[in-house]
């Protein structure tokens, strides 16, 4: 995972609230952060996250297959969020030291 707009980070953040199927994940991401994930991007991220053990599929609900975040996924998301916070705080401090106003 690399940044706040990385599809994996967005998917994990969405699933941290609770299990969701693909369309619900896409809508949640669009509604909360304004990012639009296409189907290829979403399902590619879901596949990678599942391969890494960060999410797991749940039993299908009709045509929909929900996913949930695993304990390893929660840990990975927490670590990434902490790194992003540190970078943001450093940037804001440096902007303040340079006399810029955020």
């Amino acid at each position: 995972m690399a940044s706040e707009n990385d599809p994996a980070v967005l998917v994990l953040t969405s699933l941290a609230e609770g299990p969701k199927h693909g369309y619900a994940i896409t809508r949640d991401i669009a509604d909360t952060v304004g990012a639009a994930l296409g189907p290829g991007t979403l399902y590619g991220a879901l596949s990678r996250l599942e391969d890494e053990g960060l999410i797991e599929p749940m039993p299908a609900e009709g045509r929909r297959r929900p996913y949930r975040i695993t304990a390893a996924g929660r840990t990975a998301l927490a670590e990434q969020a902490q790194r992003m916070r540190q970078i943001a705080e450093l940037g804001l401090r440096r902007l303040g030291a340079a006399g810029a106003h955020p």
Side-chain angles (χ1 to χ4, degrees):
M1 290 184 289
S3 69
E4 74 281 350
N5 63 351
D6 181 295
V9 172
L10 296 173
V11 169
L12 287 176
T13 299
S14 179
L15 292 176
E17 183 180 49
K20 295 180 184 75
H21 56 78
Y23 180 74
I25 294 168
T26 301
R27 289 299 331 140
D28 182 47
I29 291 168
D31 292 346
T32 58
V33 297
L37 295 185
T41 301
L42 173 66
Y43 289 101
L46 288 171
S47 178
R48 284 188 306 277
L49 290 167
E50 186 177 353
D51 289 347
E52 294 172 12
L54 302 179
I55 65 170
E56 60 188 7
M58 298 174 64
E61 299 172 352
R63 294 181 353 183
R64 297 177 175 166
R65 168 163 243 149
Y67 292 86
R68 68 177 158 216
I69 193 169
T70 64
R74 288 187 174 284
T75 298
L77 178 59
E79 290 170 356
Q80 182 64 23
Q82 183 60 35
R83 283 191 294 273
M84 289 187 304
R85 174 185 284 163
Q86 290 169 343
I87 291 167
E89 289 173 352
L90 175 61
L92 290 170
R93 277 195 310 272
R94 288 183 175 179
L95 284 170
H101 300 284

